[in-house]
Amino acid sequence: GQNIDQPTEMTATEGAIVQINCTYQTSGFNGLFWYQQHAGEAPTFLSYNVLDGLEEKGRFSSFLSRSKGYSYLLLKELQMKDSASYLCAVRDGDYKLSFGAGTTVTVRA
Amino acid sequence: IAGITQAPTSQILAAGRRMTLRCTQDMRHNAMYWYRQDLGLGLRLIHYSNTAGTTGKGEVPDGYSVSRANTDDFPLTLASAVPSQTSVYFCASSDRENGELFFGEGSRLTVL
């Protein structure tokens, strides 16, 4: 199975940068995903890492280190609409996705 | 563009009743999944299907059953609902090679 840890809550100011860390222990690894979920809505895909390194997509970047079982999601130039829950998920060798409990990010004006 | 459709959106159910949550996708994805989401616990996998005709157990399968008679449909059945099954249920699908999950809008189930 998977053991996925991420902080429960983070607060930041509009325009700032926030980094959400995720550590995982897995019996098989086939990629790491980040999803965004606004309250009362379904999760939506943000990023995917399968090789070590940084993937950049506009204001969002995601980093992976497979040897350390570690990833982070970097949110730059924070906007009020970025207030949401961010879910770290690990795909195993059978293509099943296991999720962390999620990090609730609150952006203050 | 439909993507994944779940029904019902919301349901209140008496304990002991049988309930089926419906899920249909029109993306011709091989894999489909059922998750439940509870406060503080995140999304937990109930059952999955890698292709039509096959199913597998996830992290929390007890009390639930699924079937995958064709590519598009993946219903989740609670044979005899209990209050601990009160949750928000999300159906998802993915292309096996890509792996990105596409989620339905969720079904909020309350068992009294």
Side-chain angles (χ1 to χ4, degrees):
Chain A
Q2 326 285 6
N3 185 18
I4 302 168
D5 291 314
Q6 51 182 128
T8 304
E9 295 180 334
M10 301 183 76
T11 302
T13 306
E14 197 173 15
I17 297 173
V18 69
Q19 178 175 314
I20 307 170
N21 295 323
C22 173
T23 58
Y24 63 89
Q25 294 173 315
T26 176
S27 56
F29 180 81
N30 202 9
L32 188 141
F33 293 76
W34 285 95
Y35 280 79
Q36 180 189 60
Q37 186 177 26
H38 285 100
E41 298 182 6
T44 56
F45 170 79
L46 285 179
S47 70
Y48 169 62
N49 295 71
V50 67
L51 300 176
D52 290 352
L54 189 68
E55 293 284 339
E56 297 188 84
K57 213 187 253 189
R59 294 188 298 112
F60 292 17
S61 303
S62 58
F63 171 83
L64 175 67
S65 169
R66 289 171 296 171
S67 62
K68 294 182 180 178
Y70 168 71
S71 172
Y72 68 72
L73 179 70
L74 196 69
L75 286 62
K76 293 175 280 190
E77 301 169 18
L78 279 172
Q79 302 175 10
M80 299 299 289
K81 67 179 182 180
D82 297 329
S83 291
S85 184
Y86 292 85
L87 312 178
C88 175
V90 174
R91 183 170 65 171
D92 66 16
D94 198 32
Y95 291 86
K96 299 193 304 293
L97 214 59
S98 295
F99 286 81
T103 299
T104 300
V105 172
T106 302
V107 181
R108 298 178 304 188
Chain B
I1 300 175
I4 297 183
T5 302
Q6 290 185 232
T9 304
S10 180
Q11 181 76 46
I12 299 174
L13 188 67
R17 297 298 294 269
R18 180 184 179 89
M19 178 73 194
T20 295
L21 303 180
R22 301 183 298 279
C23 176
T24 299
Q25 55 109 354
D26 62 3
M27 296 175 283
R28 307 303 292 173
H29 283 165
N30 313 96
M32 296 188 75
Y33 310 84
W34 274 106
Y35 288 88
R36 60 178 289 174
Q37 188 171 36
D38 303 288
L39 197 63
L41 296 177
L43 286 158
R44 293 181 292 168
L45 183 64
I46 305 170
H47 285 288
Y48 66 97
S49 169
N50 283 335
T51 189
T54 68
T55 63
K57 294 181 179 180
E59 183 184 352
V60 288
D62 293 344
Y64 305 95
S65 63
V66 292
S67 61
R68 187 86 185 279
N70 57 61
T71 297
D72 299 343
D73 301 301
F74 192 44
L76 176 73
T77 297
L78 289 67
S80 179
V82 295
S84 62
Q85 292 178 310
T86 293
S87 188
V88 179
Y89 292 84
F90 286 101
C91 180
S93 71
S94 74
D95 178 280
R96 260 181 78 95
E97 297 309 313
N98 179 292
E100 175 189 344
L101 287 187
F102 293 83
F103 285 86
E105 291 303 307
S107 296
R108 182 174 295 275
L109 183 66
T110 302
V111 183
L112 301 177

